[in-house]
Amino acid sequence: RSGKLTPSQVAKNIIATLEDCDKSTPPLRAIVQWDQEQIMLMAEASTARYRNKCTLSYLDGIPVCLKEEFQVVPYHHRVGTVYLGTKPETEDATVAKKLREAGAIIIGVSNMHELGTGTTGCNPNRYHKIPRNPYKPNHFTGGSSSGSAAAVAAGLCPVAIGTDGGGSVRIPASFCGVVGLKGTFGRISGHGCLPLSYSTVSVGPICTSVADAAIVYSILAEPDPLYPYGLKQPKATLSNMCALDLKGLKLGVDWKYFKACDAEVLSICEKAVEHLQSFGASVVEVSLPEMEEVRVAHAICILSEMRDFLQPDFNKHFHEMNLETRATLALASQFTALDYITANRQRTRSMMFLREIFTNVNCILTPALPSTAPRIYESDLVTGSSDLSFTVRSMRFMQLGNFTGIPGLVVPIGYSTAGLPVSFQVMAKWWDEAVLLRIGLKLEQFRSQTKKPSIYYNVLA
């Protein structure tokens, strides 16, 4: 507003940065498709709006990227593969359209795990390569919204949009030390996003701060006539988000479930719970029933739906898929209709249990992930990585939100002795994202210092 900096200047810095991070060793591989002309067109239009004092929203002039799972004009909708998106897109996904209408500058589309089938972000194919964790480039970013989290953590943009069917926004946000919000199922439109799993996937922002996540959420969260799942949603609010304390809030913790993580992660997360109590919130012990059943049933639902949707691809493009994707889809083909129906009966049960729990507490607290980001090995760069026990473990605190549709927020709260980010998760009842953001603002104050990642670009300089 002061005119000291213009969106056009920032855009030029970002273009120089995108060129630089593609040439660095190893390349960051956060943004996999970008177009200098497109970026400058949007930036110049925003600069003119600032000059004429007629900005469109808080996002006017703000650089953003979208996961390659979304259709974004004029990029290829590859979804992490080498065979999809052979022609440039001519129509935007709803979220891309809304970001443009808000005046945001779309700097490109971000890297992702092939077809969203894993939690490391490892994608060795020729168009994508492996995105690097800005805190430690020899570690994974997490997936499947891998490039989105890497782009935000490395300073390329303060906002990225991802999708989350088994933790795919929250896992990479946590591993890369940034904020990730998975909205309630249906809250933010998924129209124009490849419908890999129609019952588990939510859309959400990955941002540098909770306040930024709240701004993006307030712009994107509303019914979309093209997306039936969110049509009947209550109005999105940010009520009480900036309250000075957390008095009157009851925070639910299932300690047995909470403690199933590495000692280093547990120690930081336990202190974060005490920190929230210091704002006047009370901690209430809850029991999350049948979590093993939830784990299995979620896996059956998401894999069966992906396998169903990708049946033609599996038959026609099997040899163009990464080895891990082939193995995952082959495993998925072993589930029966009976398995899928039983899994959905479990979903009804679990939602009923949660309804009961949320009559007593405002939210459920867990660590975001049981461990910090795993290492990248030389072989991963060539053949990819397939570690089923890691995949299962990384989704431990994530699946409940995807399976039942409740919203979840992850916030960075510290670092391991190796210097990798550790994050914390808050989940709330359906449509109550406002309470997550309120608690998230207080959680942000827990981390005594924010360490700059080893790969970091200051696009304002």
Side-chain angles (χ1 to χ4, degrees), residues 212-259:
D212 287 355
I215 290 168
V216 180
Y217 166 74
S218 66
I219 286 169
L220 297 181
E222 64 175 8
D224 171 12
L226 299 170
Y227 188 65
Y229 301 122
L231 288 177
K232 297 275 200 297
Q233 62 177 276
K235 193 168 169 47
T237 71
L238 299 176
S239 63
N240 273 348
M241 179 179 146
C242 298
L244 294 173
D245 56 39
L246 298 176
K247 284 189 179 127
L249 288 186
K250 291 180 180 169
L251 317 176
V253 180
D254 178 332
W255 286 110
K256 183 169 178 264
Y257 181 59
F258 190 102
K259 288 178 177 176

Side-chain angles (χ1 to χ4, degrees), residues 93-114:
T94 297
V95 281
K97 190 163 158 274
K98 286 178 88 81
L99 290 167
R100 281 192 215 274
E101 286 165 358
I105 299 167
I106 297 172
I107 66 165
V109 293
S110 46
N111 206 342
M112 64 177 285
H113 207 105
E114 186 176 63

Side-chain angles (χ1 to χ4, degrees), residues 56-137:
L56 298 169
S57 78
Y58 285 124
L59 282 184
D60 206 326
I62 301 295
V64 305
C65 68
L66 291 97
K67 184 180 188 177
E68 204 181 55
E69 205 169 319
F70 294 96
Q71 294 172 336
V72 183
V73 178
Y75 302 109
H76 295 265
H77 189 213
R78 292 193 179 117
V79 200
T81 70
V82 294
Y83 65 84
L84 286 172
T86 50
K87 294 193 178 97
E89 282 306 305
T90 53
E91 212 172 302
D92 274 329
T94 297
V95 281
K97 190 163 158 274
K98 286 178 88 81
L99 290 167
R100 281 192 215 274
E101 286 165 358
I105 299 167
I106 297 172
I107 66 165
V109 293
S110 46
N111 206 342
M112 64 177 285
H113 207 105
E114 186 176 63
L115 296 167
T117 55
T119 62
T120 55
C122 183
N123 188 349
N125 77 43
R126 66 179 183 272
Y127 287 134
H128 298 86
K129 301 285 180 246
I130 294 172
R132 303 298 178 137
N133 190 318
Y135 276 91
K136 277 201 185 285

Side-chain angles (χ1 to χ4, degrees), residues 273-407:
V273 175
E274 289 167 19
H275 168 78
L276 293 176
Q277 281 177 290
S278 74
F279 285 100
S282 55
V283 170
V284 177
E285 281 203 42
V286 295
S287 168
L288 296 170
E290 302 178 5
M291 289 311 290
E292 182 57 21
E293 287 82 348
V294 165
R295 184 178 75 75
V296 176
H298 167 265
I300 290 168
C301 284
I302 190 169
L303 288 172
S304 299
E305 288 168 8
M306 288 174 98
R307 183 68 175 83
D308 166 56
F309 179 73
L310 294 168
Q311 175 73 16
D313 301 46
F314 192 69
N315 292 340
K316 199 172 163 195
H317 299 285
F318 181 82
H319 293 290
E320 294 165 274
M321 291 174 170
N322 290 333
L323 295 171
E324 183 194 13
T325 309
R326 294 185 212 172
T328 304
L329 293 175
L331 167 71
S333 65
Q334 299 306 302
F335 297 129
T336 64
L338 184 61
D339 294 330
Y340 185 70
I341 290 164
T342 310
N344 275 291
R345 286 189 176 135
Q346 178 63 44
R347 193 196 308 256
T348 309
R349 278 177 71 82
S350 297
M351 289 171 82
M352 185 181 70
F353 293 141
L354 282 179
R355 235 173 238 121
E356 181 66 28
I357 287 166
F358 284 127
T359 58
N360 299 317
V361 297
N362 300 89
C363 65
I364 295 166
L365 308 179
T366 71
L369 292 162
S371 61
T372 53
R375 261 205 74 169
I376 296 171
Y377 292 97
E378 282 301 307
S379 61
D380 299 337
L381 306 177
V382 186
T383 53
S385 162
S386 182
D387 181 345
L388 209 54
S389 66
F390 169 77
T391 306
V392 168
R393 193 160 187 251
S394 63
M395 293 199 297
R396 177 178 176 82
F397 300 116
M398 301 284 141
Q399 291 172 291
L400 183 64
N402 295 113
F403 190 51
T404 63
I406 59 172

Side-chain angles (χ1 to χ4, degrees), residues 8 40-50 60:
S8 299
M40 287 314 298
L41 273 174
M42 286 181 267
E44 278 154 15
S46 177
T47 300
R49 288 192 293 272
Y50 273 98
D60 206 326

